[in-house]
Amino acid sequence: MQITLSHKTLHFKKPARTSRGEYSEHNMVVITITDDDCKKIGLGECAPLPDLSADRDAYTTLSATSRLISEALASGDYSDFLRPYPALLFALESALFDYQQNAMLYDTPFARSEVGIPINGLVWMSSYDDMLQQVKEKLLAGFKCIKLKIGAIDWDEEMRLISTIRSRFSPETLQLRVDANGAFSPDEAMAKLKELSRYSVHSIEQPVRQYLWHDMERLCRESPVPVALDEELIGVSSLEEKRTLLDTLRPQYIVVKPTLHGGITGSMEWISEARKRNIASWITSALESNIGLRNVALLAARVYDITPGNVRNVMPQGLGTGLLYTDNIEMDMEIRGNRIWRCMTEE
């Protein structure tokens, strides 16, 4: 088994804007595992987000990344060794599972192209007119759930957009999620959540910035809009820390991103512990290329038991980011309507 590393930079079709700033490109390290004859191959992607990932500065050179991989594999428990490095853990796990065609990810109806995974349509922050146009495009494409990034343009404009959507589509027709990326101040958050509740919003991700546990616990307890934690999970790597966070904050949802939240192993821990507390969840990508996106989708298909018989009961996942780049890597996936499918090819 041989492991090789390579750099790649992806370029967004248009800047991806959040309340924290915007991205025009995304750097990553691709892990490739092959056998001596190159007949077997496994791919993984290490793509931390510069201003967000706990391990964002760990992969400055390929030699540094290679050294971490060597130390992890020599440790006897690479998953535990790489807990502080979720992006690399996700990449290495994914590459090994792909190389082995591990049944946990590859023996599912989704992996066999028998069912597609429901996904939300993502609407990025922009001007009112541009966001409204994005919404129209998602609806025409067949999406039944739309996620709006909010908190960076004028609040009244954002409320006008949400009001316009709700005036045309009932909650039974269209599920509406919003993501503030921590944009609200603790003093204003509750008033804004009450205003959002007028429009039957399904959930709000990370209304205030992470580490404000006193304020976040109150919002999770009192908000008229269900709260989903996202950034709050970053850097919480041990099982005991995860339990403490969930027991303290008691959100209605968690949004799990393997690149940010502990790779495959850590993500499954989060979901398992949340279920024990009747906290629901869904999985999303973190702006990875199609390599990472495919591996996130394979994980979602397993942990939510997505089959043709129960797919209608599955919450939409955040797996619609593959169309964001001008130079994405071709993989065996495509979006049809409001679902992402794995496309098997005949050999």
Side-chain angles (χ1 to χ4, degrees), residues 45-281:
E45 172 183 354
C46 176
L49 292 169
D51 59 349
L52 192 59
S53 296
D55 53 340
R56 56 188 173 273
D57 299 320
Y59 320 111
T60 53
T61 64
L62 290 182
S63 60
T65 308
S66 179
R67 184 170 60 252
L68 276 172
I69 292 173
S70 297
E71 292 173 354
L73 292 175
S75 71
D77 186 349
Y78 73 86
S79 295
D80 189 61
F81 183 92
L82 290 176
R83 276 184 183 269
Y85 308 97
L88 184 56
L89 176 56
F90 177 52
L92 184 58
E93 287 176 311
S94 299
L96 287 168
F97 280 26
D98 189 16
Y99 178 80
Q100 299 159 352
Q101 289 293 289
N102 188 292
M104 190 187 85
L105 294 190
Y106 289 88
D107 186 16
T108 69
F110 170 75
R112 296 190 294 271
S113 303
E114 297 168 5
V115 66
I117 301 173
I119 61 175
N120 62 242
L122 181 58
V123 175
W124 288 96
M125 291 175 174
S126 186
S127 66
Y128 169 87
D129 290 336
D130 185 66
M131 291 180 75
L132 183 58
Q133 181 60 34
Q134 290 181 64
V135 170
K136 290 177 180 177
E137 291 171 358
K138 299 302 181 186
L139 294 172
L140 287 172
F143 286 94
K144 307 299 182 185
C145 174
I146 289 178
K147 172 179 169 179
L148 298 170
K149 294 277 190 177
I150 63 171
I153 66 172
D154 181 75
W155 176 252
D156 291 336
E157 288 286 276
E158 291 176 339
M159 288 303 96
R160 184 160 70 97
L161 174 65
I162 291 173
S163 176
T164 298
I165 296 170
R166 266 293 168 252
S167 69
R168 301 178 186 180
F169 301 96
S170 69
E172 292 74 29
T173 304
L174 180 68
Q175 185 180 102
L176 189 58
R177 300 172 178 172
V178 296
D179 184 0
N181 287 124
F184 301 163
S185 73
D187 292 338
E188 70 182 1
M190 189 59 74
K192 289 190 171 183
L193 290 168
K194 288 179 179 177
E195 191 169 356
L196 280 168
S197 70
R198 295 164 46 197
Y199 303 106
S200 300
V201 172
H202 170 270
S203 56
I204 179 166
E205 291 182 36
Q206 203 68 36
V208 298
R209 62 182 175 84
Q210 63 193 121
Y211 308 132
L212 300 178
W213 277 28
H214 175 75
D215 299 294
M216 186 65 85
E217 185 278 331
R218 180 177 64 89
L219 292 175
C220 291
R221 176 166 37 87
E222 299 179 3
S223 171
V225 177
V227 173
L229 299 186
D230 178 357
E231 287 93 336
E232 203 70 63
L233 312 184
I234 295 173
V236 182
S237 59
S238 75
L239 186 56
E240 192 57 40
E241 289 175 324
K242 292 173 183 177
R243 289 169 174 165
T244 298
L245 183 147
L246 295 174
D247 286 336
T248 302
L249 301 183
R250 290 283 173 176
Q252 287 73 43
Y253 301 102
I254 59 171
V255 183
V256 179
K257 299 177 178 178
T259 286
L260 300 179
H261 301 147
I264 294 171
T265 301
S267 296
M268 293 180 73
E269 283 184 351
W270 275 116
I271 293 166
S272 174
E273 292 300 317
R275 284 173 174 166
K276 293 174 184 177
R277 295 158 176 80
N278 295 316
I279 297 170
S281 65

Side-chain angles (χ1 to χ4, degrees), residues 30-59:
V30 178
I31 296 179
T32 304
I33 300 178
T34 58
D35 60 10
D36 292 338
D37 298 325
C38 293
K39 293 181 178 179
K40 292 174 62 179
I41 186 170
L43 293 175
E45 172 183 354
C46 176
L49 292 169
D51 59 349
L52 192 59
S53 296
D55 53 340
R56 56 188 173 273
D57 299 320
Y59 320 111

